[in-house]
Each structure stands twice: as C-alpha cells, then as structure tokens.
Amino acid sequence: MHALVIYDSMYGNTEKIAQAIGAAVGGQVKRVDEVDPAEVGGIDLLIVGSPTQRFNATSTLSDWLERIPEGAITGTRVAAFDTRFKQEKIDTAGPLRFFVKLWGKSAWAATHIARFLKQKGGTLAAQPEGFYVRDTEGPLYEGELERAAGWASAL
C-alpha cells in the first residue's frame, strides 16, 4: 500500500502527530510545501493534517487542498486530522467557547480538510480526528502520539 501523510505545522506539534501516523501506516510524511498537489494521484491512502487555526486548517494547507486537480484523488482512501485544544481549555476561554459551541464539529481543521478531500473525490477511511495540545504552542498531551499511531493503524 502506498500511503502519503501531508501536514502543516506551526509549532511542531502537528508534525510530531504526522510522523507518528506515517510510521504507523508505513507511508511517506511530507510538509505541505514539499508536495505539488497535482502529484497526489495514484496513491492508496492520503492522510492530511493541520493545526486548527481560526476554526480551520492553516491558509497554506487550505490553499494546497484547493489546488488538488479535479479527479486526482477519485477513489483514493483519505483521512484528516488536526491538533486542537481539549474541551476544558475551551471552556475557560469565553469567545472560543461560544464559537466552538455554535459551530460544533465545524470548528475544527480536520472537518474542513475531510470536506475538501471528499469534494475532490476521496473516500473517507475514517472520521476526522483531533489530537490535543495543552496550549497554542503545545506541548502535546502525554499519550497523543500513541493515540495517533493507533488511529492510523485502524485506517
């Protein structure tokens, strides 16, 4: 199986998750700016991840997703992940709590990534998944790398 993990990362936490996922599926792991979106066809599994920034993926990753040519990933199994805050952290931030409650699952980067991948013809191999950071710059909570590997192994 040919698997590719593409990610963007602001502080290194999403990169660590991407590396754990790549190791679990035996696939290549590349930062978004290392991959031409026109070259993602012909793989069996495409996994894409980003930190959640302003209730979405990073602008770099979002732009990359938009540039995937129509039909390039038709029939490809796809999965999406992000890094985000735990609910207890969200509950202590008034405006953040309001918007997360208002938008629900749409408040996370993984949801947006999965939507893009499906629109481009991909077939979801799993529901979008979030992995938790303690604060904006991290670090990851203990056990998140193992949880990421477990999620990826199920793909």
Side-chain angles (χ1 to χ4, degrees):
M1 175 177 76
H2 183 223
L4 177 60
V5 181
I6 297 172
Y7 71 93
D8 198 10
S9 189
M10 303 291 292
Y11 302 105
N13 300 297
T14 309
E15 179 177 11
K16 290 175 184 174
I17 295 292
Q19 294 292 343
I21 289 169
V25 298
Q28 289 183 302
V29 180
K30 294 189 175 190
R31 191 175 196 99
V32 66
D33 55 10
E34 298 175 332
V35 181
D36 181 341
E39 297 176 359
V40 295
I43 59 174
D44 301 309
L45 178 61
L46 176 62
I47 305 166
V48 181
S50 170
T52 299
Q53 297 287 311
R54 291 181 223 97
F55 309 105
N56 206 334
T58 64
S59 60
T60 302
L61 189 73
S62 294
D63 292 345
W64 184 88
L65 289 165
E66 288 180 14
R67 294 190 337 252
I68 296 174
E70 292 301 321
I73 61 171
T74 298
T76 301
R77 295 176 62 237
V78 297
F81 70 95
D82 64 33
T83 49
R84 61 177 79 159
F85 294 142
K86 282 189 171 185
Q87 188 63 46
E88 57 259 22
K89 172 99 173 152
I90 292 165
D91 288 344
T92 64
L96 181 60
R97 185 173 108 198
F98 171 79
F99 286 111
V100 169
K101 187 173 183 172
L102 178 68
W103 291 331
K105 290 181 182 180
S106 293
W108 307 118
T111 303
H112 295 279
I113 295 166
R115 186 184 75 238
F116 267 108
L117 294 171
K118 284 174 55 178
Q119 287 173 350
K120 296 292 183 167
T123 302
L124 275 185
Q127 290 300 308
E129 187 61 63
F131 300 98
Y132 300 111
V133 292
R134 291 186 181 276
D135 209 337
T136 302
E137 295 185 22
L140 291 162
Y141 277 89
E142 189 172 320
E144 288 303 275
L145 294 176
E146 294 80 7
R147 194 166 71 80
W151 175 77
S153 293
L155 298 174

